[in-house]
mmCIF file of all heavy atoms in Angstrom:
data_model
loop_
_atom_site.group_PDB
_atom_site.id
_atom_site.type_symbol
_atom_site.label_atom_id
_atom_site.label_comp_id
_atom_site.label_asym_id
_atom_site.label_seq_id
_atom_site.Cartn_x
_atom_site.Cartn_y
_atom_site.Cartn_z
ATOM 1 N N LYS P 820 234.640 86.656 28.397
ATOM 2 C CA LYS P 820 235.978 87.069 28.831
ATOM 3 C C LYS P 820 236.384 88.347 28.087
ATOM 4 O O LYS P 820 237.479 88.457 27.509
ATOM 5 C CB LYS P 820 237.004 85.961 28.596
ATOM 6 C CG LYS P 820 236.717 84.677 29.338
ATOM 7 C CD LYS P 820 236.730 84.889 30.849
ATOM 8 C CE LYS P 820 236.467 83.571 31.592
ATOM 9 N NZ LYS P 820 236.276 83.754 33.046
ATOM 10 N N ALA P 821 235.489 89.301 28.096
ATOM 11 C CA ALA P 821 235.686 90.536 27.338
ATOM 12 C C ALA P 821 236.908 91.294 27.834
ATOM 13 O O ALA P 821 237.254 91.241 29.017
ATOM 14 C CB ALA P 821 234.443 91.422 27.442
ATOM 15 N N GLU P 822 237.548 92.003 26.917
ATOM 16 C CA GLU P 822 238.656 92.873 27.290
ATOM 17 C C GLU P 822 238.142 94.043 28.102
ATOM 18 O O GLU P 822 238.771 94.480 29.067
ATOM 19 C CB GLU P 822 239.361 93.383 26.032
ATOM 20 C CG GLU P 822 240.528 94.315 26.286
ATOM 21 C CD GLU P 822 241.708 93.619 26.943
ATOM 22 O OE1 GLU P 822 241.815 92.377 26.837
ATOM 23 O OE2 GLU P 822 242.527 94.315 27.561
ATOM 24 N N LYS P 823 236.968 94.560 27.709
ATOM 25 C CA LYS P 823 236.395 95.716 28.384
ATOM 26 C C LYS P 823 234.891 95.558 28.524
ATOM 27 O O LYS P 823 234.227 94.944 27.686
ATOM 28 C CB LYS P 823 236.672 97.003 27.589
ATOM 29 C CG LYS P 823 238.093 97.506 27.643
ATOM 30 C CD LYS P 823 238.260 98.754 26.788
ATOM 31 C CE LYS P 823 239.637 99.354 26.941
ATOM 32 N NZ LYS P 823 239.842 99.984 28.248
ATOM 33 N N LEU P 824 234.372 96.146 29.597
ATOM 34 C CA LEU P 824 232.941 96.309 29.808
ATOM 35 C C LEU P 824 232.722 97.756 30.203
ATOM 36 O O LEU P 824 233.339 98.245 31.155
ATOM 37 C CB LEU P 824 232.437 95.381 30.921
ATOM 38 C CG LEU P 824 231.039 95.663 31.492
ATOM 39 C CD1 LEU P 824 229.970 95.576 30.413
ATOM 40 C CD2 LEU P 824 230.730 94.695 32.645
ATOM 41 N N ALA P 825 231.900 98.466 29.439
ATOM 42 C CA ALA P 825 231.639 99.880 29.710
ATOM 43 C C ALA P 825 230.176 100.068 30.083
ATOM 44 O O ALA P 825 229.280 99.697 29.321
ATOM 45 C CB ALA P 825 231.974 100.731 28.492
ATOM 46 N N PHE P 826 229.949 100.628 31.274
ATOM 47 C CA PHE P 826 228.603 100.986 31.714
ATOM 48 C C PHE P 826 228.367 102.457 31.397
ATOM 49 O O PHE P 826 228.981 103.341 32.009
ATOM 50 C CB PHE P 826 228.435 100.763 33.225
ATOM 51 C CG PHE P 826 228.427 99.325 33.645
ATOM 52 C CD1 PHE P 826 229.523 98.766 34.299
ATOM 53 C CD2 PHE P 826 227.329 98.521 33.398
ATOM 54 C CE1 PHE P 826 229.525 97.443 34.694
ATOM 55 C CE2 PHE P 826 227.303 97.187 33.791
ATOM 56 C CZ PHE P 826 228.406 96.647 34.439
ATOM 57 N N MET P 827 227.494 102.735 30.438
ATOM 58 C CA MET P 827 227.129 104.114 30.126
ATOM 59 C C MET P 827 225.975 104.511 31.040
ATOM 60 O O MET P 827 224.907 103.898 31.010
ATOM 61 C CB MET P 827 226.728 104.245 28.662
ATOM 62 C CG MET P 827 227.852 103.915 27.704
ATOM 63 S SD MET P 827 227.379 104.134 25.985
ATOM 64 C CE MET P 827 227.070 105.899 25.979
ATOM 65 N N THR P 828 226.192 105.536 31.855
ATOM 66 C CA THR P 828 225.231 105.916 32.877
ATOM 67 C C THR P 828 224.988 107.421 32.845
ATOM 68 O O THR P 828 225.466 108.120 31.959
ATOM 69 C CB THR P 828 225.758 105.527 34.270
ATOM 70 O OG1 THR P 828 226.895 106.341 34.572
ATOM 71 C CG2 THR P 828 226.158 104.069 34.324
ATOM 72 N N ASP P 829 224.257 107.895 33.837
ATOM 73 C CA ASP P 829 223.999 109.333 33.970
ATOM 74 C C ASP P 829 224.895 109.961 35.034
ATOM 75 O O ASP P 829 224.576 110.996 35.606
ATOM 76 C CB ASP P 829 222.525 109.590 34.310
ATOM 77 C CG ASP P 829 221.616 109.335 33.125
ATOM 78 O OD1 ASP P 829 222.132 109.241 31.988
ATOM 79 O OD2 ASP P 829 220.395 109.238 33.313
ATOM 80 N N ILE P 830 226.016 109.308 35.314
ATOM 81 C CA ILE P 830 227.012 109.869 36.223
ATOM 82 C C ILE P 830 228.368 109.801 35.531
ATOM 83 O O ILE P 830 228.576 108.969 34.636
ATOM 84 C CB ILE P 830 227.073 109.115 37.567
ATOM 85 C CG1 ILE P 830 227.335 107.621 37.331
ATOM 86 C CG2 ILE P 830 225.798 109.319 38.364
ATOM 87 C CD1 ILE P 830 227.535 106.830 38.585
ATOM 88 N N GLU P 831 229.294 110.666 35.936
ATOM 89 C CA GLU P 831 230.584 110.739 35.235
ATOM 90 C C GLU P 831 231.576 109.695 35.697
ATOM 91 O O GLU P 831 232.607 109.477 35.049
ATOM 92 C CB GLU P 831 231.189 112.132 35.404
ATOM 93 C CG GLU P 831 231.469 112.503 36.856
ATOM 94 C CD GLU P 831 232.064 113.896 36.996
ATOM 95 O OE1 GLU P 831 232.637 114.380 36.013
ATOM 96 O OE2 GLU P 831 231.947 114.480 38.079
ATOM 97 N N GLY P 832 231.303 109.021 36.799
ATOM 98 C CA GLY P 832 232.216 108.034 37.349
ATOM 99 C C GLY P 832 232.132 108.029 38.861
ATOM 100 O O GLY P 832 231.138 108.475 39.439
ATOM 101 N N VAL P 833 233.152 107.520 39.515
ATOM 102 C CA VAL P 833 233.179 107.425 40.973
ATOM 103 C C VAL P 833 233.956 108.608 41.537
ATOM 104 O O VAL P 833 235.089 108.881 41.122
ATOM 105 C CB VAL P 833 233.845 106.106 41.428
ATOM 106 C CG1 VAL P 833 233.831 106.013 42.956
ATOM 107 C CG2 VAL P 833 233.125 104.917 40.822
ATOM 108 N N ARG P 834 233.344 109.294 42.502
ATOM 109 C CA ARG P 834 234.000 110.417 43.174
ATOM 110 C C ARG P 834 234.289 110.059 44.629
ATOM 111 O O ARG P 834 233.489 109.370 45.275
ATOM 112 C CB ARG P 834 233.120 111.658 43.165
ATOM 113 C CG ARG P 834 232.800 112.231 41.793
ATOM 114 C CD ARG P 834 231.852 113.415 41.958
ATOM 115 N NE ARG P 834 231.478 114.028 40.685
ATOM 116 C CZ ARG P 834 230.583 115.015 40.596
ATOM 117 N NH1 ARG P 834 230.006 115.503 41.694
ATOM 118 N NH2 ARG P 834 230.298 115.527 39.418
ATOM 119 N N LEU P 835 235.411 110.559 45.138
ATOM 120 C CA LEU P 835 235.677 110.424 46.571
ATOM 121 C C LEU P 835 234.702 111.281 47.363
ATOM 122 O O LEU P 835 234.278 110.925 48.462
ATOM 123 C CB LEU P 835 237.117 110.848 46.886
ATOM 124 C CG LEU P 835 238.202 109.807 46.630
ATOM 125 C CD1 LEU P 835 239.573 110.401 46.870
ATOM 126 C CD2 LEU P 835 237.985 108.573 47.505
ATOM 127 N N ASP P 836 234.355 112.435 46.796
ATOM 128 C CA ASP P 836 233.367 113.330 47.381
ATOM 129 C C ASP P 836 232.274 113.531 46.342
ATOM 130 O O ASP P 836 232.519 114.097 45.270
ATOM 131 C CB ASP P 836 234.009 114.674 47.740
ATOM 132 C CG ASP P 836 233.028 115.663 48.375
ATOM 133 O OD1 ASP P 836 231.807 115.401 48.326
ATOM 134 O OD2 ASP P 836 233.479 116.687 48.898
ATOM 135 N N ALA P 837 231.081 113.043 46.647
ATOM 136 C CA ALA P 837 229.989 113.083 45.682
ATOM 137 C C ALA P 837 229.687 114.483 45.182
ATOM 138 O O ALA P 837 229.178 114.656 44.063
ATOM 139 C CB ALA P 837 228.732 112.464 46.296
ATOM 140 N N ASP P 838 229.994 115.491 45.971
ATOM 141 C CA ASP P 838 229.684 116.868 45.597
ATOM 142 C C ASP P 838 230.841 117.605 44.925
ATOM 143 O O ASP P 838 230.703 118.776 44.566
ATOM 144 C CB ASP P 838 229.239 117.657 46.845
ATOM 145 C CG ASP P 838 227.987 117.077 47.480
ATOM 146 O OD1 ASP P 838 227.085 116.664 46.722
ATOM 147 O OD2 ASP P 838 227.922 117.025 48.717
ATOM 148 N N ASP P 839 231.971 116.930 44.761
ATOM 149 C CA ASP P 839 233.154 117.591 44.200
ATOM 150 C C ASP P 839 233.579 116.911 42.901
ATOM 151 O O ASP P 839 234.176 115.831 42.913
ATOM 152 C CB ASP P 839 234.306 117.543 45.211
ATOM 153 C CG ASP P 839 235.551 118.255 44.696
ATOM 154 O OD1 ASP P 839 235.483 118.894 43.628
ATOM 155 O OD2 ASP P 839 236.594 118.161 45.363
ATOM 156 N N PRO P 840 233.297 117.534 41.749
ATOM 157 C CA PRO P 840 233.671 116.945 40.456
ATOM 158 C C PRO P 840 235.169 116.691 40.329
ATOM 159 O O PRO P 840 235.585 115.781 39.609
ATOM 160 C CB PRO P 840 233.211 117.996 39.437
ATOM 161 C CG PRO P 840 232.168 118.799 40.140
ATOM 162 C CD PRO P 840 232.590 118.820 41.577
ATOM 163 N N LYS P 841 235.983 117.473 41.042
ATOM 164 C CA LYS P 841 237.427 117.315 40.957
ATOM 165 C C LYS P 841 237.912 116.048 41.661
ATOM 166 O O LYS P 841 239.080 115.663 41.516
ATOM 167 C CB LYS P 841 238.129 118.534 41.550
ATOM 168 C CG LYS P 841 237.906 119.819 40.755
ATOM 169 C CD LYS P 841 238.645 120.988 41.377
ATOM 170 C CE LYS P 841 238.424 122.272 40.581
ATOM 171 N NZ LYS P 841 239.126 123.436 41.204
ATOM 172 N N SER P 842 237.025 115.397 42.426
ATOM 173 C CA SER P 842 237.434 114.189 43.159
ATOM 174 C C SER P 842 237.167 112.907 42.370
ATOM 175 O O SER P 842 237.249 111.811 42.913
ATOM 176 C CB SER P 842 236.718 114.125 44.513
ATOM 177 O OG SER P 842 235.333 113.892 44.346
ATOM 178 N N LEU P 843 236.869 113.054 41.072
ATOM 179 C CA LEU P 843 236.660 111.890 40.219
ATOM 180 C C LEU P 843 237.897 111.003 40.222
ATOM 181 O O LEU P 843 239.021 111.479 40.069
ATOM 182 C CB LEU P 843 236.347 112.334 38.785
ATOM 183 C CG LEU P 843 236.149 111.215 37.749
ATOM 184 C CD1 LEU P 843 234.852 110.474 38.021
ATOM 185 C CD2 LEU P 843 236.165 111.780 36.336
ATOM 186 N N ILE P 844 237.697 109.696 40.389
ATOM 187 C CA ILE P 844 238.790 108.728 40.412
ATOM 188 C C ILE P 844 238.909 108.089 39.031
ATOM 189 O O ILE P 844 237.948 107.510 38.532
ATOM 190 C CB ILE P 844 238.543 107.642 41.473
ATOM 191 C CG1 ILE P 844 238.266 108.275 42.843
ATOM 192 C CG2 ILE P 844 239.730 106.690 41.547
ATOM 193 C CD1 ILE P 844 237.795 107.275 43.880
ATOM 194 N N SER P 845 240.086 108.183 38.416
ATOM 195 C CA SER P 845 240.268 107.678 37.056
ATOM 196 C C SER P 845 240.425 106.159 37.019
ATOM 197 O O SER P 845 239.870 105.492 36.142
ATOM 198 C CB SER P 845 241.491 108.339 36.399
ATOM 199 O OG SER P 845 241.261 109.710 36.197
ATOM 200 N N ILE P 846 241.202 105.587 37.965
ATOM 201 C CA ILE P 846 241.429 104.139 37.982
ATOM 202 C C ILE P 846 241.300 103.621 39.406
ATOM 203 O O ILE P 846 241.828 104.207 40.352
ATOM 204 C CB ILE P 846 242.823 103.782 37.428
ATOM 205 C CG1 ILE P 846 242.927 104.142 35.944
ATOM 206 C CG2 ILE P 846 243.115 102.293 37.595
ATOM 207 C CD1 ILE P 846 244.252 103.762 35.303
ATOM 208 N N LEU P 847 240.581 102.507 39.556
ATOM 209 C CA LEU P 847 240.416 101.841 40.841
ATOM 210 C C LEU P 847 240.748 100.364 40.693
ATOM 211 O O LEU P 847 240.299 99.717 39.743
ATOM 212 C CB LEU P 847 238.968 101.957 41.333
ATOM 213 C CG LEU P 847 238.503 103.252 41.988
ATOM 214 C CD1 LEU P 847 236.992 103.221 42.183
ATOM 215 C CD2 LEU P 847 239.194 103.457 43.322
ATOM 216 N N THR P 848 241.521 99.813 41.630
ATOM 217 C CA THR P 848 241.680 98.365 41.681
ATOM 218 C C THR P 848 240.460 97.785 42.388
ATOM 219 O O THR P 848 239.687 98.505 43.039
ATOM 220 C CB THR P 848 242.947 97.965 42.448
ATOM 221 O OG1 THR P 848 242.803 98.378 43.825
ATOM 222 C CG2 THR P 848 244.191 98.601 41.842
ATOM 223 N N VAL P 849 240.278 96.485 42.262
ATOM 224 C CA VAL P 849 239.165 95.814 42.937
ATOM 225 C C VAL P 849 239.225 96.065 44.436
ATOM 226 O O VAL P 849 238.206 96.364 45.082
ATOM 227 C CB VAL P 849 239.183 94.302 42.626
ATOM 228 C CG1 VAL P 849 238.267 93.546 43.586
ATOM 229 C CG2 VAL P 849 238.747 94.040 41.194
ATOM 230 N N GLU P 850 240.430 95.970 45.007
ATOM 231 C CA GLU P 850 240.582 96.165 46.450
ATOM 232 C C GLU P 850 240.186 97.587 46.861
ATOM 233 O O GLU P 850 239.515 97.786 47.883
ATOM 234 C CB GLU P 850 242.024 95.886 46.872
ATOM 235 C CG GLU P 850 242.453 94.429 46.758
ATOM 236 C CD GLU P 850 242.731 93.983 45.331
ATOM 237 O OE1 GLU P 850 242.856 94.871 44.444
ATOM 238 O OE2 GLU P 850 242.813 92.764 45.090
ATOM 239 N N GLU P 851 240.591 98.552 46.069
ATOM 240 C CA GLU P 851 240.241 99.943 46.369
ATOM 241 C C GLU P 851 238.742 100.171 46.245
ATOM 242 O O GLU P 851 238.141 100.891 47.065
ATOM 243 C CB GLU P 851 240.993 100.882 45.420
ATOM 244 C CG GLU P 851 242.497 100.934 45.689
ATOM 245 C CD GLU P 851 243.264 101.616 44.570
ATOM 246 O OE1 GLU P 851 242.711 101.747 43.449
ATOM 247 O OE2 GLU P 851 244.422 102.017 44.809
ATOM 248 N N ALA P 852 238.125 99.559 45.242
ATOM 249 C CA ALA P 852 236.679 99.708 45.057
ATOM 250 C C ALA P 852 235.910 99.070 46.212
ATOM 251 O O ALA P 852 234.929 99.631 46.721
ATOM 252 C CB ALA P 852 236.250 99.086 43.730
ATOM 253 N N GLU P 853 236.363 97.901 46.650
ATOM 254 C CA GLU P 853 235.711 97.230 47.782
ATOM 255 C C GLU P 853 235.821 98.080 49.045
ATOM 256 O O GLU P 853 234.871 98.159 49.844
ATOM 257 C CB GLU P 853 236.333 95.856 48.001
ATOM 258 C CG GLU P 853 235.975 94.851 46.911
ATOM 259 C CD GLU P 853 236.716 93.531 47.059
ATOM 260 O OE1 GLU P 853 237.834 93.528 47.623
ATOM 261 O OE2 GLU P 853 236.172 92.499 46.605
ATOM 262 N N ALA P 854 236.966 98.731 49.225
ATOM 263 C CA ALA P 854 237.170 99.570 50.405
ATOM 264 C C ALA P 854 236.239 100.782 50.388
ATOM 265 O O ALA P 854 235.757 101.217 51.449
ATOM 266 C CB ALA P 854 238.628 100.039 50.467
ATOM 267 N N LEU P 855 235.955 101.331 49.204
ATOM 268 C CA LEU P 855 235.042 102.473 49.112
ATOM 269 C C LEU P 855 233.658 102.097 49.623
ATOM 270 O O LEU P 855 232.980 102.904 50.269
ATOM 271 C CB LEU P 855 234.942 102.955 47.662
ATOM 272 C CG LEU P 855 236.173 103.638 47.068
ATOM 273 C CD1 LEU P 855 235.915 104.000 45.610
ATOM 274 C CD2 LEU P 855 236.543 104.900 47.859
ATOM 275 N N VAL P 856 233.233 100.864 49.340
ATOM 276 C CA VAL P 856 231.924 100.392 49.816
ATOM 277 C C VAL P 856 231.982 100.095 51.307
ATOM 278 O O VAL P 856 231.131 100.545 52.087
ATOM 279 C CB VAL P 856 231.483 99.134 49.030
ATOM 280 C CG1 VAL P 856 230.162 98.608 49.588
ATOM 281 C CG2 VAL P 856 231.338 99.451 47.539
ATOM 282 N N THR P 857 233.004 99.344 51.717
ATOM 283 C CA THR P 857 233.139 98.944 53.123
ATOM 284 C C THR P 857 233.255 100.147 54.046
ATOM 285 O O THR P 857 232.663 100.176 55.134
ATOM 286 C CB THR P 857 234.374 98.040 53.305
ATOM 287 O OG1 THR P 857 234.266 96.909 52.452
ATOM 288 C CG2 THR P 857 234.491 97.575 54.749
ATOM 289 N N ASP P 858 234.010 101.153 53.623
ATOM 290 C CA ASP P 858 234.253 102.335 54.454
ATOM 291 C C ASP P 858 233.135 103.370 54.367
ATOM 292 O O ASP P 858 233.215 104.424 55.005
ATOM 293 C CB ASP P 858 235.580 102.994 54.066
ATOM 294 C CG ASP P 858 236.775 102.081 54.312
ATOM 295 O OD1 ASP P 858 236.622 101.103 55.065
ATOM 296 O OD2 ASP P 858 237.850 102.342 53.731
ATOM 297 N N GLY P 859 232.125 103.088 53.554
ATOM 298 C CA GLY P 859 230.989 104.000 53.457
ATOM 299 C C GLY P 859 231.258 105.277 52.683
ATOM 300 O O GLY P 859 230.495 106.246 52.784
ATOM 301 N N ILE P 860 232.330 105.282 51.878
ATOM 302 C CA ILE P 860 232.657 106.476 51.091
ATOM 303 C C ILE P 860 231.675 106.647 49.942
ATOM 304 O O ILE P 860 231.327 107.762 49.563
ATOM 305 C CB ILE P 860 234.107 106.404 50.575
ATOM 306 C CG1 ILE P 860 235.067 106.424 51.772
ATOM 307 C CG2 ILE P 860 234.424 107.566 49.627
ATOM 308 C CD1 ILE P 860 236.509 106.183 51.402
ATOM 309 N N VAL P 861 231.204 105.532 49.378
ATOM 310 C CA VAL P 861 230.151 105.586 48.369
ATOM 311 C C VAL P 861 228.918 104.904 48.940
ATOM 312 O O VAL P 861 229.013 104.033 49.806
ATOM 313 C CB VAL P 861 230.573 104.913 47.050
ATOM 314 C CG1 VAL P 861 231.764 105.614 46.434
ATOM 315 C CG2 VAL P 861 230.854 103.435 47.249
ATOM 316 N N GLY P 862 227.771 105.300 48.440
ATOM 317 C CA GLY P 862 226.525 104.722 48.937
ATOM 318 C C GLY P 862 225.422 104.848 47.907
ATOM 319 O O GLY P 862 225.643 105.241 46.764
ATOM 320 N N GLY P 863 224.213 104.516 48.325
ATOM 321 C CA GLY P 863 223.046 104.665 47.464
ATOM 322 C C GLY P 863 223.152 103.859 46.193
ATOM 323 O O GLY P 863 223.603 102.710 46.171
ATOM 324 N N GLY P 864 222.767 104.497 45.059
ATOM 325 C CA GLY P 864 222.746 103.810 43.781
ATOM 326 C C GLY P 864 224.107 103.455 43.234
ATOM 327 O O GLY P 864 224.218 102.641 42.306
ATOM 328 N N MET P 865 225.172 104.038 43.800
ATOM 329 C CA MET P 865 226.511 103.718 43.323
ATOM 330 C C MET P 865 226.962 102.328 43.774
ATOM 331 O O MET P 865 227.764 101.674 43.102
ATOM 332 C CB MET P 865 227.513 104.774 43.811
ATOM 333 C CG MET P 865 228.946 104.561 43.344
ATOM 334 S SD MET P 865 229.138 104.471 41.550
ATOM 335 C CE MET P 865 228.977 106.226 41.142
ATOM 336 N N ILE P 866 226.421 101.847 44.900
ATOM 337 C CA ILE P 866 226.865 100.555 45.434
ATOM 338 C C ILE P 866 226.614 99.408 44.455
ATOM 339 O O ILE P 866 227.532 98.634 44.165
ATOM 340 C CB ILE P 866 226.222 100.285 46.807
ATOM 341 C CG1 ILE P 866 226.788 101.271 47.838
ATOM 342 C CG2 ILE P 866 226.472 98.850 47.248
ATOM 343 C CD1 ILE P 866 226.185 101.141 49.226
ATOM 344 N N PRO P 867 225.372 99.231 43.917
ATOM 345 C CA PRO P 867 225.185 98.125 42.959
ATOM 346 C C PRO P 867 226.036 98.272 41.706
ATOM 347 O O PRO P 867 226.467 97.277 41.121
ATOM 348 C CB PRO P 867 223.684 98.170 42.628
ATOM 349 C CG PRO P 867 223.208 99.508 43.070
ATOM 350 C CD PRO P 867 224.092 99.905 44.201
#
């Protein structure tokens, strides 16, 4: 029941546009994150 879980990766975070660094999203709710997957906004290795 950790307060935080941090995944250190080779990406800076989740972007609305994979090619635009300025589209980095700082905070996502679970519902918003699920919608990004459902709507096909994110794909590939970001999905898992």
